[in-house]
Amino acid sequence: MSGNDTLARLAAVIDARRGGDPDKSYVARLFSKGGDAILKKVGEEATETVMAAKDGDRDKVVYEVADLWFHTMLLLAHFDLRPADVLAELERREGLSGLEEFAARKLKTREGEGT
């Protein structure tokens, strides 16, 4: 079983619970509160991940990254995106140096601004 399978199963669970009863489902509750609530949770989890890393606690880093990934998947679902969309982007970048990728994004941004 691969990580892709795990992410796909989790995405299916999120989809199934998204429109559920907010009193019985954490996922449904966050979706009922709207995009800002989901964004707030992603921010909180990102901060907790950084704090765990600063503390050097490997187990806590894994725990917090799992929370961050979960809430990021809620964000993806909010935009009707799937983990496969992110994986496709990572695959597109594979083999590019980080500097090449950054330069390409910077050029694309400038072209979009008409400069």
Side-chain angles (χ1 to χ4, degrees), residues 91-103:
E91 288 170 8
R92 183 192 69 77
R93 295 180 187 186
E94 194 172 3
L96 290 177
S97 80
L99 296 176
E100 289 172 332
E101 175 63 22
F102 177 73

Side-chain angles (χ1 to χ4, degrees), residues 32-54:
S32 73
K33 292 179 179 181
D36 284 349
I38 295 169
L39 291 171
K40 181 179 177 185
K41 284 304 294 181
V42 170
E44 287 173 11
E45 298 302 341
T47 300
E48 291 173 6
T49 299
V50 170
M51 291 169 53
K54 295 277 289 171

